Amino acid sequence: MTPATSAVDTAPKTYAWEVRATGLSVRAGRRKLAVDGLDLALGTGTHGLLGPNGAGKTTLIRALATVLRPAAGSLELLGTPVGAMGDHRALRRRIGYLPQEFGYYKRFTVREFVEYMAWLKEVPKADIPAAVQRAVERVGLADRADHRMKTLSGGMVRRAGIAQAIVNDPTVLLLDEPTVGLDPAQRLRLRELLQELGREACVIVSTHLVEDVAAACSDVVLFADGRLVFQGTPEALAAAGGPEHPGDSPLERGYSALLSNSAQPGGTW
């Protein structure tokens, strides 16, 4: 890929929704339908994508990252349809993506890794040094920027992954289990960063940790068996449960109540 030699169009654009899915179905592998008939609209803000393991969260995130294409229905990102065919390079310049697992050259320093990812995302060459420095500072790795990736702890590698996801100042930021491996202090800082980023971008955080959503997100999307169970504020999620439902907090009890109801015959999604 040849890096861009001219500035990417950064003029502000207004979208009804940064993400809109209508009847969206996505397969994980050849047969399994991991996302099944999803209707969803997300705008600027920090959105928590909650659900148990196997709910389809990662498949949905990969579809939003244009890694997977829809099997049925429609998906629009930043006003651009995402289909089975087509070149989505221009769209990907506006997206930041942290998968659960990501590859890197172990001999790269943190700075070199984030620089390389900025180059792949076609950040203008003249802008890369400042963009990289800002990204590593925002994830608390400025003092490790010139350390090799192979010397980092698991939590630091995760933070380097977050830095590469935000180096291009994305309009849509997709983070799949970003708090894995982070210690409590680092999780608190990440929550603050997510709130900050959500003021100007559509940030989607996939997690199974209810407390992360409560602390960082203004909107909750609850997902189970490939379908939408609930979308609303953390307060509305908490109000869905009662003392009879399992959980150590009102949010966990609301989460349990909605999942239990969706699993019942005739339960609403």
Side-chain angles (χ1 to χ4, degrees):
M1 180 183 294
T2 302
T5 56
S6 60
V8 175
D9 180 13
T10 56
K13 291 182 176 141
T14 302
Y15 308 97
W17 303 101
E18 276 75 7
V19 173
R20 179 184 283 277
T22 304
L24 178 67
S25 295
V26 186
R27 296 189 185 280
R30 287 176 173 261
R31 297 184 179 180
K32 182 181 178 183
L33 204 60
V35 177
D36 186 6
L38 176 67
D39 293 330
L40 184 66
L42 301 174
T44 300
T46 305
H47 309 273
L49 180 58
L50 268 178
N53 290 335
K57 302 187 302 296
T58 291
T59 298
L60 176 58
I61 289 286
R62 295 186 75 200
L64 298 180
T66 73
V67 175
L68 297 176
R69 303 297 172 88
S74 65
L75 174 62
E76 286 189 4
L77 300 175
L78 305 176
T80 300
V82 177
M85 305 294 290
D87 182 355
H88 298 304
R89 283 178 54 188
L91 182 58
R92 287 170 180 163
R93 295 184 198 124
R94 311 291 301 280
I95 295 173
Y97 175 40
L98 174 70
Q100 287 190 29
E101 297 181 4
F102 59 93
Y104 54 88
Y105 294 110
K106 293 182 179 181
R107 293 186 60 82
F108 272 9
T109 65
V110 173
R111 189 185 309 278
E112 288 169 341
F113 168 62
V114 181
E115 283 178 346
Y116 177 63
M117 297 305 295
W119 180 82
L120 289 179
K121 297 178 184 191
E122 301 184 355
V123 174
K125 185 176 180 179
D127 297 343
I128 286 179
V132 170
Q133 184 63 29
R134 183 166 182 255
V136 297
E137 287 177 355
R138 294 179 94 177
V139 300
L141 285 179
D143 61 339
R144 299 275 181 163
D146 297 311
H147 290 221
R148 295 191 189 279
M149 294 287 291
K150 67 180 181 180
T151 69
L152 303 184
S153 67
M156 289 178 183
V157 169
R158 201 71 182 153
R159 286 151 65 193
I162 297 167
Q164 66 79 25
I166 65 175
V167 71
N168 58 326
D169 288 327
T171 308
V172 173
L173 176 61
L174 308 166
L175 303 175
D176 198 353
E177 301 288 357
T179 60
V180 171
L182 302 188
D183 65 31
Q186 293 164 357
R187 285 175 64 189
L188 288 173
R189 176 65 192 108
L190 176 60
R191 292 170 183 174
E192 293 172 358
L193 178 59
L194 293 176
Q195 290 177 323
E196 177 187 328
L197 292 167
R199 296 189 187 107
E200 296 183 353
C202 177
V203 181
I204 304 172
V205 185
S206 172
T207 182
H208 63 279
L209 299 175
V210 177
E211 58 267 31
D212 285 340
V213 168
C217 301
S218 56
D219 179 57
V220 182
V221 177
L222 182 54
F223 213 54
D225 294 327
R227 298 183 180 180
L228 183 67
V229 173
F230 166 88
Q231 183 178 6
T233 64
E235 292 78 14
L237 176 61
E244 72 277 13
H245 297 111
D248 296 326
S249 69
L251 275 170
E252 289 184 349
R253 290 190 284 273
Y255 172 86
S256 297
L258 288 166
L259 287 182
S260 176
N261 182 58
S262 70
Q264 300 299 320
T268 57
W269 291 95

